[in-house]
DNA sequence: ATATAACACTCCCATCGGGAGTATTATTCA
DNA sequence: TGAATAATACTCCCGATGGGAGTGTTATAT
């Protein structure tokens, strides 16, 4: 029997709200959760089965015409397991950022390449902000599918929003700084950018 | 022959700076890079071999007493490959944040559990800030192992710093908001927290 | 009437996280 | 000086994951 992962508990948490078919769960996982718990859709289908194996959920086979689907529901044991899990501290954010790796080695390329990298990150940040703003508009307007959960959603949303804002600010700042650098980005003299290190260093204990 | 991943290019980028033994590469990958490109140490040993297979690096077997070690160096083909890679846009940040999942389902648990979750995230954010501040002090003081790369390092550092600051701010804010909620966190009436949604919604196009 | 999108999955391979294990050399501290 | 411990230098392996391809059915758009 496979062990339960954070993804299992995400599914269990969703099942605590209502019953879902696996397809609906996969849909829901695509809406907002990928911004802090991204998982491949193909594997979402495995998770509820694990929950059933552990007695945390039940599966019911239903039909839409001749097409079958499986609808899952949480059990009492499932609710208890979820509550226990909520009591254990969760891991802090883990960031994976390929664009930043390209910035790190930027002096091996051209100034144009670096600016292109920064602009593409900036464009993505802008798209994310738009996405989040639209989501906020929907939640603030209709209350979303679970209006009684608006307060916890707002906590989570705030993180997503601040993350997107931070990225946009950082990109704009970096573009501006790099614009000041000479054409050969491997040899800037006295770059102003280094002041960020001195500022951060003052916080060292 | 295995295909090159972002991790391969991280190693290639490090090799562009100087020759390293695999152990040194693994060490270096632990210093700052895990904050934006975390990879398991055990796999770092495989990457340089891939680079050699592709002709982007050469391996040299050396000895420290009777203990052998492999030292890798970049080739001209490797430098060209790195430059080409720098020209292609990199993926934006991907965030994985288990703690936030616990916040999302917090109304299934107790107020105490939620506050504990937030406090543990806050504590981790503080540790990260301390780590970054110490790193900044070192870089600003000695210039670090590659003083000629201080300017690109500063760009990357700024992102790490802002990320840590943002997390600390978010946690402090969330703790304060939750403190205002009633004991039964599933039923706060008119939570002030929802204003963040209204504010963000004004940015929707 | 037909094409396309949404629904409802399954299968599979390469990648990755992470722990355990092996052996040698350097450092610390009693 | 000797023993313990840390650092160096890896290898092996299992289970979790990303992500693409594939199969068939039902609803919607044109």
């Amino acid at each position: 029997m496979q062990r339960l992962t954070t993804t299992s508990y995400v599914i269990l948490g969703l099942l605590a709200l209502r019953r879902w078919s696996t397809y609906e769960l996969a849909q829901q996982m695509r809406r907002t959760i990928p911004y802090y718990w991204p998982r491949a859709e193909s594997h979402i289908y495995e998770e509820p089965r694990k929950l059933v194996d552990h007695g945390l959920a039940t599966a019911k086979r239903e039909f839409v015409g001749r097409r079958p689907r499986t609808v899952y529901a949480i059990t009492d044991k499932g609710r208890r397991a979820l509550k226990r899990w909520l009591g254990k501290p969760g891991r802090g954010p883990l960031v994976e950022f390929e664009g930043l790796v390209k910035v790190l080695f930027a002096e091996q390329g051209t100034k144009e390449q670096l600016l292109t990298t920064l602009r593409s990150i900036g464009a993505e940040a802008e798209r994310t902000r738009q996405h989040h703003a639209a989501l906020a508009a929907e939640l603030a307007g209709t209350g979303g599918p679970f209006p009684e959960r608006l307060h916890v959603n707002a906590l989570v949303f705030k993180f997503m929003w601040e993350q997107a804002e931070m990225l946009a600010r950082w990109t704009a700042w970096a573009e501006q700084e790099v614009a000041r650098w000479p054409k050969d980005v491997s040899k800037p003299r006295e770059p102003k950018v280094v002041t960020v290190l001195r500022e951060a260093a003052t916080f060292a204990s």
Side-chain angles (χ1 to χ4, degrees), chain A:
Chain A
M1 191 154 64
Q2 284 184 83
R3 57 171 277 276
L4 299 172
T5 64
T6 304
T7 310
S8 315
Y9 285 101
V10 173
I11 301 293
L12 190 60
L14 289 171
L15 288 178
L17 310 180
R18 70 165 175 93
R19 54 205 300 279
W20 309 75
S21 74
T22 336
Y23 183 81
E24 288 171 322
L25 284 169
Q27 289 277 96
Q28 189 64 17
M29 287 286 283
R30 237 191 286 162
R31 235 176 101 85
T32 53
I33 300 180
Y35 287 98
Y36 47 91
W37 198 256
R39 282 305 174 260
E41 207 164 310
S42 56
H43 292 297
I44 305 295
Y45 285 83
E46 184 59 26
E47 294 298 338
R49 279 197 283 266
K50 274 203 256 174
L51 296 177
V52 172
D53 286 347
H54 284 82
L56 309 183
T58 55
K60 197 174 166 234
R61 200 167 171 77
E62 296 182 353
F63 281 87
V64 181
R66 286 188 302 152
R67 185 172 56 187
R69 65 175 196 165
T70 314
V71 177
Y72 292 89
I74 197 168
T75 63
D76 285 346
K77 192 178 168 193
R79 287 195 193 276
R80 285 196 300 274
L82 180 60
K83 226 181 147 161
R84 254 200 320 281
W85 179 77
L86 286 171
K88 282 177 288 177
R91 282 188 304 278
L94 180 143
V95 178
E96 201 166 284
F97 191 174
E98 191 193 33
L100 200 60
V101 174
K102 301 212 179 196
V103 172
L104 179 67
F105 295 119
E107 97 284 358
Q108 305 290 326
T110 67
K111 185 174 175 179
E112 267 327 298
Q113 283 182 321
L114 175 51
L115 285 171
T116 304
T117 294
L118 290 172
R119 278 190 215 108
S120 108
I121 297 170
E124 198 184 314
E126 198 40 55
R127 279 194 300 276
T128 305
R129 260 160 56 116
Q130 284 301 322
H131 173 271
H132 290 358
L135 177 70
E138 194 205 316
L139 286 176
T142 73
F146 301 100
E148 75 282 5
R149 290 179 28 77
L150 213 51
H151 58 308
V152 282
N153 270 310
L155 288 184
V156 170
F157 176 84
K158 172 86 166 175
F159 176 83
M160 285 163 51
W161 183 257
E162 293 297 327
Q163 174 80 33
E165 289 268 280
M166 186 274 279
L167 186 62
R169 275 199 311 274
W170 175 80
T171 325
W173 168 82
E175 270 183 62
Q176 216 173 51
E177 293 296 324
V178 171
R180 253 198 277 278
W181 293 0
K183 196 132 206 247
D184 181 351
V185 280
S186 72
K187 286 171 191 129
R189 47 195 190 291
E190 295 282 327
K192 189 196 153 230
V193 83
V194 174
T195 56
V196 305
L197 296 173
R198 282 198 283 274
E199 278 163 35
T202 63
F203 289 87
S205 58

